Amino acid sequence: MSYKQTKVLTVDNVSGDLKKLSVIKDAALWIKNGEVVAFPTETVYGLGGNVFLDEAISQIFEAKGRPQDNPLIIHIASKSQALDLIGAPPAYAELLMDQFWPGPLTLVCVSKQKVSEYVTAGLHTVAIRVPDHPVALALIEEAGVPIAAPSANRSGKPSPTTACHVFHDLNGKIMAIVDGGSTGVGVESTVVDCTGEIPIILRPGGVTKEQIEQVVGTVGIDKALFEKSAAPKSPGMKYTHYAPNAPLQLVEGGTERIQQLIIEKQGEGMRVGVLATEESQTSYQADVVLACGQRAHLQTVAQKLYEVLRVFDEENVDVIFSETFPQEGVGLAIMNRLEKAASGIIIR
Ligand code: TXA
Ligand code: MG
Protein backbone atom coordinates (compact mmCIF):
# COMPACT_ATOMS: atom_id res chain seq x y z
CA MET A 1 0.00 0.00 0.00
CA SER A 2 1.31 3.48 -0.71
CA TYR A 3 -0.04 6.94 0.01
CA LYS A 4 0.94 10.21 -1.64
CA GLN A 5 1.58 11.73 1.76
CA THR A 6 0.84 10.45 5.26
CA LYS A 7 -1.64 12.71 7.09
CA VAL A 8 -0.53 14.11 10.45
CA LEU A 9 -3.43 14.75 12.83
CA THR A 10 -2.46 16.80 15.85
CA VAL A 11 -3.98 16.53 19.31
CA ASP A 12 -2.99 19.84 20.91
CA ASN A 13 -4.26 19.18 24.38
CA VAL A 14 -4.22 15.61 25.63
CA SER A 15 -6.50 16.22 28.61
CA GLY A 16 -10.31 16.07 28.70
CA ASP A 17 -12.56 13.69 26.76
CA LEU A 18 -10.49 13.00 23.65
CA LYS A 19 -13.11 10.70 22.16
CA LYS A 20 -15.10 13.83 21.24
CA LEU A 21 -12.30 15.16 19.02
CA SER A 22 -12.78 14.73 15.29
CA VAL A 23 -9.14 13.66 14.83
CA ILE A 24 -9.66 10.79 17.29
CA LYS A 25 -13.01 9.84 15.73
CA ASP A 26 -11.48 9.82 12.23
CA ALA A 27 -8.37 7.85 13.21
CA ALA A 28 -10.43 5.34 15.23
CA LEU A 29 -12.79 4.74 12.31
CA TRP A 30 -9.89 4.24 9.89
CA ILE A 31 -8.35 1.67 12.24
CA LYS A 32 -11.67 -0.11 12.74
CA ASN A 33 -12.08 -0.32 8.94
CA GLY A 34 -8.63 -1.75 8.29
CA GLU A 35 -6.24 1.17 7.75
CA VAL A 36 -3.08 1.41 9.82
CA VAL A 37 -2.47 4.55 11.85
CA ALA A 38 0.45 5.52 14.11
CA PHE A 39 -0.33 6.90 17.56
CA PRO A 40 1.50 7.81 20.78
CA THR A 41 1.70 5.56 23.83
CA GLU A 42 3.54 6.37 27.07
CA THR A 43 6.57 4.36 25.85
CA VAL A 44 7.06 4.93 22.10
CA TYR A 45 4.76 5.54 19.09
CA GLY A 46 2.90 2.44 17.91
CA LEU A 47 1.65 1.51 14.42
CA GLY A 48 -1.91 0.33 15.00
CA GLY A 49 -4.28 -1.95 13.15
CA ASN A 50 -7.55 -3.82 13.90
CA VAL A 51 -6.54 -7.20 15.44
CA PHE A 52 -9.38 -9.01 13.67
CA LEU A 53 -8.46 -8.01 10.11
CA ASP A 54 -5.70 -9.99 8.35
CA GLU A 55 -5.23 -7.23 5.77
CA ALA A 56 -4.63 -4.53 8.36
CA ILE A 57 -2.10 -6.68 10.17
CA SER A 58 -0.21 -7.61 7.02
CA GLN A 59 -0.08 -3.93 6.12
CA ILE A 60 1.66 -3.23 9.45
CA PHE A 61 4.36 -5.81 8.62
CA GLU A 62 4.74 -4.40 5.11
CA ALA A 63 5.01 -0.74 6.19
CA LYS A 64 7.66 -1.60 8.80
CA GLY A 65 9.54 -4.16 6.71
CA ARG A 66 9.11 -6.44 9.71
CA PRO A 67 9.96 -10.17 9.57
CA GLN A 68 6.71 -12.20 9.51
CA ASP A 69 7.75 -14.41 12.43
CA ASN A 70 7.86 -11.51 14.90
CA PRO A 71 4.46 -11.22 16.65
CA LEU A 72 2.76 -7.96 17.66
CA ILE A 73 1.55 -6.57 21.00
CA ILE A 74 -2.21 -6.10 21.33
CA HIS A 75 -3.32 -2.86 22.97
CA ILE A 76 -6.56 -2.89 24.91
CA ALA A 77 -8.29 -0.37 27.16
CA SER A 78 -9.08 -2.55 30.19
CA LYS A 79 -8.34 -5.78 32.02
CA SER A 80 -11.74 -7.19 31.04
CA GLN A 81 -10.96 -6.64 27.36
CA ALA A 82 -7.74 -8.62 27.95
CA LEU A 83 -9.60 -11.50 29.59
CA ASP A 84 -11.71 -11.80 26.41
CA LEU A 85 -8.61 -12.63 24.39
CA ILE A 86 -6.69 -14.96 26.73
CA GLY A 87 -7.25 -18.24 28.55
CA ALA A 88 -7.54 -18.05 32.38
CA PRO A 89 -4.31 -16.31 33.47
CA PRO A 90 -2.27 -17.43 36.50
CA ALA A 91 -2.92 -15.51 39.73
CA TYR A 92 0.38 -13.64 39.49
CA ALA A 93 -0.58 -12.33 36.03
CA GLU A 94 -3.76 -10.81 37.43
CA LEU A 95 -1.74 -9.20 40.22
CA LEU A 96 0.52 -7.66 37.58
CA MET A 97 -2.45 -6.39 35.56
CA ASP A 98 -4.01 -4.84 38.68
CA GLN A 99 -0.77 -3.21 39.74
CA PHE A 100 0.75 -1.98 36.47
CA TRP A 101 -2.10 -1.39 33.97
CA PRO A 102 -2.41 1.04 32.44
CA GLY A 103 1.36 1.11 32.04
CA PRO A 104 4.47 -0.13 30.24
CA LEU A 105 4.03 -3.83 30.98
CA THR A 106 3.13 -6.43 28.33
CA LEU A 107 1.96 -9.89 29.41
CA VAL A 108 2.37 -12.95 27.20
CA CYS A 109 -0.56 -15.30 27.90
CA VAL A 110 -2.26 -18.28 26.27
CA SER A 111 -4.31 -17.03 23.32
CA LYS A 112 -7.97 -17.82 22.75
CA GLN A 113 -7.09 -17.55 19.05
CA LYS A 114 -9.70 -14.89 18.37
CA VAL A 115 -7.35 -12.47 16.65
CA SER A 116 -5.78 -12.58 13.18
CA GLU A 117 -3.12 -15.30 13.10
CA TYR A 118 -0.69 -12.71 11.69
CA VAL A 119 -0.80 -10.87 15.04
CA THR A 120 0.64 -13.85 16.92
CA ALA A 121 2.85 -15.10 14.07
CA GLY A 122 1.17 -18.48 14.50
CA LEU A 123 2.15 -18.83 18.21
CA HIS A 124 -0.36 -20.19 20.75
CA THR A 125 0.33 -17.19 22.97
CA VAL A 126 -0.57 -13.53 22.67
CA ALA A 127 1.12 -10.38 24.06
CA ILE A 128 -1.22 -7.75 25.56
CA ARG A 129 -1.04 -4.46 27.40
CA VAL A 130 -3.11 -1.44 28.46
CA PRO A 131 -1.11 1.66 27.48
CA ASP A 132 -1.00 4.63 29.84
CA HIS A 133 -1.62 7.37 27.30
CA PRO A 134 -4.89 9.29 26.86
CA VAL A 135 -4.61 9.30 23.04
CA ALA A 136 -3.99 5.54 22.85
CA LEU A 137 -6.84 4.77 25.25
CA ALA A 138 -9.28 7.09 23.44
CA LEU A 139 -8.42 5.45 20.09
CA ILE A 140 -8.93 1.91 21.42
CA GLU A 141 -12.24 2.81 23.03
CA GLU A 142 -13.55 4.75 20.05
CA ALA A 143 -12.44 2.07 17.55
CA GLY A 144 -14.24 -0.51 19.70
CA VAL A 145 -11.65 -3.18 18.83
CA PRO A 146 -8.28 -4.17 20.32
CA ILE A 147 -5.42 -2.58 18.38
CA ALA A 148 -2.28 -4.52 17.44
CA ALA A 149 0.71 -2.19 17.40
CA PRO A 150 4.45 -2.68 17.11
CA SER A 151 6.71 0.34 17.50
CA ALA A 152 6.14 2.66 14.52
CA ASN A 153 9.69 2.61 13.13
CA ARG A 154 11.15 0.89 10.09
CA SER A 155 12.31 -2.52 11.28
CA GLY A 156 15.84 -2.35 12.72
CA LYS A 157 15.77 1.40 13.41
CA PRO A 158 15.40 3.09 16.82
CA SER A 159 11.79 3.24 18.02
CA PRO A 160 10.03 6.60 17.48
CA THR A 161 9.43 8.88 20.45
CA THR A 162 7.91 11.73 18.39
CA ALA A 163 5.48 11.94 15.45
CA CYS A 164 8.36 13.42 13.46
CA HIS A 165 10.37 10.20 13.86
CA VAL A 166 7.38 8.19 12.59
CA PHE A 167 6.94 10.54 9.61
CA HIS A 168 10.63 10.18 8.76
CA ASP A 169 10.42 6.37 8.69
CA LEU A 170 6.92 5.75 7.32
CA ASN A 171 5.76 8.74 5.25
CA GLY A 172 3.84 7.41 2.23
CA LYS A 173 3.60 3.92 3.71
CA ILE A 174 0.73 4.51 6.15
CA MET A 175 -2.47 6.53 6.04
CA ALA A 176 -2.01 8.72 9.11
CA ILE A 177 -0.13 9.61 12.28
CA VAL A 178 -1.85 11.00 15.36
CA ASP A 179 0.62 13.46 16.89
CA GLY A 180 0.27 13.65 20.68
CA GLY A 181 3.72 15.11 21.43
CA SER A 182 6.81 13.35 22.78
CA THR A 183 6.36 10.07 24.61
CA GLY A 184 7.32 9.96 28.29
CA VAL A 185 9.02 6.66 29.15
CA GLY A 186 11.14 6.50 26.00
CA VAL A 187 11.89 2.77 25.95
CA GLU A 188 9.31 0.09 25.16
CA SER A 189 7.20 -1.88 27.60
CA THR A 190 8.62 -4.76 29.64
CA VAL A 191 7.51 -8.07 28.07
CA VAL A 192 6.77 -10.80 30.64
CA ASP A 193 5.96 -14.43 29.86
CA CYS A 194 3.00 -15.46 32.03
CA THR A 195 2.58 -19.03 30.77
CA GLY A 196 4.72 -20.77 33.43
CA GLU A 197 4.89 -21.08 37.23
CA ILE A 198 6.64 -17.76 37.67
CA PRO A 199 6.76 -14.68 35.45
CA ILE A 200 9.79 -14.46 33.17
CA ILE A 201 11.05 -11.20 31.70
CA LEU A 202 11.57 -11.62 27.95
CA ARG A 203 12.37 -7.97 27.22
CA PRO A 204 13.33 -5.43 29.91
CA GLY A 205 11.44 -2.13 29.61
CA GLY A 206 9.56 0.65 31.36
CA VAL A 207 8.44 -1.39 34.38
CA THR A 208 11.55 -2.61 36.21
CA LYS A 209 12.39 -6.11 37.44
CA GLU A 210 12.57 -4.69 40.96
CA GLN A 211 9.02 -3.28 40.68
CA ILE A 212 7.67 -6.63 39.44
CA GLU A 213 9.44 -8.50 42.26
CA GLN A 214 7.75 -6.28 44.81
CA VAL A 215 4.36 -7.46 43.58
CA VAL A 216 4.92 -11.15 42.82
CA GLY A 217 8.13 -12.15 44.61
CA THR A 218 10.30 -14.30 42.37
CA VAL A 219 10.77 -13.19 38.77
CA GLY A 220 12.85 -14.98 36.14
CA ILE A 221 14.68 -13.42 33.26
CA ASP A 222 15.11 -15.08 29.84
CA LYS A 223 18.73 -16.21 29.75
CA ALA A 224 18.95 -15.33 26.07
CA LEU A 225 19.16 -11.70 27.23
CA PHE A 226 22.64 -12.42 28.58
CA GLU A 227 23.88 -15.49 26.66
CA LYS A 228 24.28 -15.16 22.94
CA SER A 229 24.02 -18.94 22.45
CA ALA A 230 20.49 -19.24 23.91
CA ALA A 231 17.44 -18.79 21.65
CA PRO A 232 15.23 -15.94 22.92
CA LYS A 233 11.62 -16.80 23.83
CA SER A 234 10.49 -13.47 22.45
CA PRO A 235 11.00 -13.68 18.68
CA GLY A 236 11.76 -9.96 18.36
CA MET A 237 14.79 -10.20 20.63
CA LYS A 238 16.81 -12.13 18.07
CA TYR A 239 16.94 -9.30 15.54
CA THR A 240 19.41 -6.41 15.37
CA HIS A 241 17.53 -3.35 16.46
CA TYR A 242 17.77 0.31 17.29
CA ALA A 243 20.83 0.65 15.09
CA PRO A 244 22.00 4.07 13.91
CA ASN A 245 23.71 4.16 10.48
CA ALA A 246 27.22 4.38 11.93
CA PRO A 247 28.57 1.46 13.98
CA LEU A 248 28.02 2.02 17.69
CA GLN A 249 30.48 0.66 20.24
CA LEU A 250 29.82 0.47 23.96
CA VAL A 251 32.86 1.38 26.01
CA GLU A 252 33.49 0.41 29.61
CA GLY A 253 36.22 2.13 31.61
CA GLY A 254 35.20 5.74 31.87
CA THR A 255 35.65 9.00 30.01
CA GLU A 256 39.43 8.74 29.58
CA ARG A 257 39.20 5.44 27.74
CA ILE A 258 36.60 6.93 25.40
CA GLN A 259 38.73 10.03 24.80
CA GLN A 260 41.67 7.78 23.79
CA LEU A 261 39.45 5.99 21.27
CA ILE A 262 38.21 9.32 19.88
CA ILE A 263 41.79 10.44 19.25
CA GLU A 264 42.63 7.12 17.56
CA LYS A 265 39.65 7.24 15.21
CA GLN A 266 40.04 10.92 14.40
CA GLY A 267 43.66 10.08 13.56
CA GLU A 268 42.29 7.69 10.93
CA GLY A 269 40.26 10.58 9.47
CA MET A 270 36.93 9.52 10.95
CA ARG A 271 34.13 11.77 12.18
CA VAL A 272 33.49 10.57 15.72
CA GLY A 273 30.30 10.78 17.82
CA VAL A 274 29.96 10.18 21.56
CA LEU A 275 26.82 9.24 23.44
CA ALA A 276 27.46 10.93 26.79
CA THR A 277 25.35 12.25 29.65
CA GLU A 278 24.76 15.75 30.99
CA GLU A 279 27.32 15.00 33.69
CA SER A 280 30.09 13.86 31.31
CA GLN A 281 29.58 15.72 28.04
CA THR A 282 32.30 18.33 28.66
CA SER A 283 34.90 15.56 29.18
CA TYR A 284 35.08 14.78 25.45
CA GLN A 285 36.65 16.46 22.45
CA ALA A 286 34.87 14.68 19.61
CA ASP A 287 33.11 15.81 16.42
CA VAL A 288 29.63 15.31 17.89
CA VAL A 289 28.95 14.89 21.61
CA LEU A 290 25.32 14.29 22.58
CA ALA A 291 24.08 14.31 26.17
CA CYS A 292 21.53 11.53 26.64
CA GLY A 293 19.88 12.65 29.88
CA GLN A 294 21.40 12.55 33.36
CA ARG A 295 23.25 9.53 34.67
CA ALA A 296 21.94 10.38 38.14
CA HIS A 297 18.38 9.90 36.81
CA LEU A 298 18.38 6.92 34.45
CA GLN A 299 14.75 7.61 33.52
CA THR A 300 15.92 10.72 31.67
CA VAL A 301 18.46 8.60 29.76
CA ALA A 302 15.69 6.21 28.68
CA GLN A 303 13.56 9.16 27.57
CA LYS A 304 16.23 10.58 25.25
CA LEU A 305 17.95 7.41 24.05
CA TYR A 306 16.21 6.82 20.71
CA GLU A 307 16.13 10.50 19.80
CA VAL A 308 19.89 10.75 20.38
CA LEU A 309 20.55 7.65 18.24
CA ARG A 310 18.55 9.28 15.44
CA VAL A 311 20.46 12.58 15.72
CA PHE A 312 23.74 10.71 15.08
CA ASP A 313 22.30 9.72 11.67
CA GLU A 314 21.64 13.38 10.82
CA GLU A 315 25.15 14.29 11.93
CA ASN A 316 26.73 11.76 9.54
CA VAL A 317 29.29 10.41 11.99
CA ASP A 318 31.47 7.42 10.99
CA VAL A 319 31.58 5.79 14.42
CA ILE A 320 29.81 6.30 17.75
CA PHE A 321 31.24 5.52 21.18
CA SER A 322 28.74 5.14 24.00
CA GLU A 323 29.10 5.15 27.75
CA THR A 324 27.66 2.15 29.60
CA PHE A 325 25.03 2.28 32.37
CA PRO A 326 24.36 0.26 35.54
CA GLN A 327 22.03 -2.68 34.82
CA GLU A 328 19.57 -1.77 37.57
CA GLY A 329 16.07 -0.33 37.37
CA VAL A 330 15.43 1.06 33.90
CA GLY A 331 19.21 0.75 33.30
CA LEU A 332 18.57 -2.89 32.36
CA ALA A 333 16.38 -1.79 29.43
CA ILE A 334 18.80 1.00 28.43
CA MET A 335 21.75 -1.42 28.31
CA ASN A 336 19.69 -4.05 26.46
CA ARG A 337 18.85 -1.52 23.71
CA LEU A 338 22.40 -0.16 23.54
CA GLU A 339 23.83 -3.69 23.27
CA LYS A 340 21.46 -4.40 20.40
CA ALA A 341 22.36 -1.10 18.73
CA ALA A 342 26.02 -2.14 19.13
CA SER A 343 25.35 -5.67 17.79
CA GLY A 344 26.81 -6.88 21.07
CA ILE A 345 30.20 -5.11 20.67
CA ILE A 346 31.48 -3.93 24.05
CA ILE A 347 35.01 -2.57 24.45
CA ARG A 348 36.23 -3.57 27.90
O1 TXA B 1 6.09 -0.23 24.47
C1 TXA B 1 5.82 -1.09 23.63
O2 TXA B 1 5.72 -2.28 23.91
C2 TXA B 1 5.57 -0.60 22.18
C3 TXA B 1 4.32 0.28 22.19
C4 TXA B 1 3.92 0.70 20.80
O3 TXA B 1 3.28 -0.39 22.85
N1 TXA B 1 5.42 -1.71 21.29
C5 TXA B 1 6.47 -2.50 20.93
O4 TXA B 1 6.15 -3.47 20.00
O5 TXA B 1 7.59 -2.37 21.37
P1 TXA B 1 7.25 -4.27 19.17
O6 TXA B 1 6.49 -5.02 18.14
O7 TXA B 1 8.27 -3.34 18.67
O8 TXA B 1 7.82 -5.30 20.19
C6 TXA B 1 7.02 -6.37 20.61
C7 TXA B 1 7.86 -7.42 21.29
C8 TXA B 1 8.72 -8.17 20.30
O9 TXA B 1 10.00 -8.42 20.88
C9 TXA B 1 7.93 -9.46 20.10
O10 TXA B 1 8.73 -10.53 19.69
C10 TXA B 1 7.32 -9.66 21.49
O11 TXA B 1 6.98 -8.37 21.91
N2 TXA B 1 6.14 -10.52 21.45
C11 TXA B 1 4.94 -10.27 20.89
N3 TXA B 1 4.10 -11.33 21.01
C12 TXA B 1 4.79 -12.28 21.68
C13 TXA B 1 4.49 -13.61 22.11
N4 TXA B 1 3.31 -14.16 21.88
N5 TXA B 1 5.46 -14.30 22.75
C14 TXA B 1 6.67 -13.73 23.00
N6 TXA B 1 7.01 -12.48 22.62
C15 TXA B 1 6.10 -11.77 21.96
MG1 MG C 1 9.98 -2.47 18.01
Side-chain angles (χ1 to χ4, degrees):
M1 198 82 80
S2 79
Y3 300 83
K4 206 162 169 212
Q5 162 109 5
T6 294
K7 297 188 221 311
V8 180
L9 313 176
T10 308
V11 178
D12 295 316
N13 182 353
V14 294
S15 58
D17 186 4
L18 299 184
K19 282 182 283 178
K20 288 192 181 136
L21 299 179
S22 61
V23 293
I24 296 291
K25 284 188 186 298
D26 288 349
L29 191 64
W30 292 333
I31 291 176
K32 187 181 170 195
N33 291 338
E35 292 287 348
V36 308
V37 175
F39 62 91
T41 78
E42 80 282 31
T43 57
V44 300
Y45 273 71
L47 181 58
N50 182 338
V51 285
F52 301 119
L53 303 179
D54 288 348
E55 273 172 35
I57 306 304
S58 14
Q59 210 195 318
I60 291 175
F61 280 89
E62 190 187 315
K64 276 185 64 90
R66 182 177 176 105
Q68 293 286 346
D69 67 345
N70 190 4
L72 308 182
I73 294 172
I74 296 178
H75 296 67
I76 57 218
S78 65
K79 180 177 163 187
S80 66
Q81 213 178 359
L83 297 175
D84 270 355
L85 299 176
I86 60 174
Y92 69 76
E94 290 214 43
L95 284 176
L96 292 174
M97 293 174 188
D98 294 339
Q99 183 68 33
F100 295 110
W101 283 357
L105 180 72
T106 294
L107 304 180
V108 173
C109 298
V110 174
S111 171
K112 277 190 186 161
Q113 314 275 11
K114 288 187 178 177
V115 301
S116 162
E117 61 185 345
Y118 297 124
V119 171
T120 55
L123 297 175
H124 73 288
T125 52
V126 69
I128 44 172
R129 82 180 191 98
V130 179
D132 189 13
H133 195 292
V135 169
L137 290 171
L139 276 175
I140 300 164
E141 285 170 11
E142 189 62 23
V145 290
I147 298 178
S151 49
N153 50 288
R154 282 287 291 174
S155 206
K157 288 280 137 197
S159 296
T161 54
T162 66
C164 230
H165 297 161
V166 181
F167 191 83
H168 175 272
D169 280 17
L170 300 178
N171 180 29
K173 294 189 161 67
I174 60 175
M175 176 144 176
I177 303 167
V178 181
D179 183 352
S182 296
T183 59
V185 178
V187 290
E188 299 86 342
S189 61
T190 306
V191 178
V192 175
D193 179 1
C194 295
T195 60
E197 301 234 306
I198 58 161
I200 310 236
I201 295 177
L202 305 182
R203 176 179 75 178
V207 170
T208 66
K209 179 168 184 270
E210 295 84 346
Q211 285 174 303
I212 298 173
E213 276 166 348
Q214 278 186 1
V215 177
V216 296
T218 317
V219 176
I221 190 151
D222 187 6
K223 65 177 193 294
L225 290 175
F226 305 107
E227 291 171 25
K228 282 206 189 87
S229 52
K233 286 199 187 134
S234 180
M237 298 305 285
K238 68 175 181 275
Y239 295 106
T240 306
H241 258 116
Y242 318 114
N245 295 334
L248 180 139
Q249 300 182 352
L250 273 163
V251 185
E252 284 181 348
T255 54
E256 282 170 26
R257 178 79 183 104
I258 292 183
Q259 187 56 44
Q260 272 174 358
L261 290 162
I262 296 168
I263 293 168
E264 264 172 43
K265 291 295 172 192
Q266 285 181 330
E268 294 168 20
M270 286 192 183
R271 188 169 153 78
V272 182
V274 179
L275 188 153
T277 57
E278 284 178 30
E279 290 93 333
S280 67
Q281 58 179 328
T282 54
S283 316
Y284 304 111
Q285 268 105 46
D287 298 282
V288 181
V289 181
L290 298 177
C292 185
Q294 296 168 3
R295 178 171 288 279
H297 302 282
L298 287 180
Q299 190 44 252
T300 62
V301 177
Q303 239 169 38
K304 286 210 71 174
L305 181 63
Y306 293 142
E307 184 189 320
V308 163
L309 292 177
R310 282 175 180 263
V311 174
F312 281 123
D313 284 350
E314 288 162 25
E315 293 280 356
N316 279 316
V317 293
D318 300 308
V319 62
I320 303 161
F321 295 113
S322 171
E323 296 181 2
T324 56
F325 295 89
Q327 308 226 18
E328 303 155 5
V330 76
L332 195 63
I334 293 168
M335 281 300 286
N336 170 265
R337 305 308 190 270
L338 280 171
E339 280 175 20
K340 289 204 160 286
S343 304
I345 300 173
I346 303 183
I347 302 178
R348 296 207 154 88

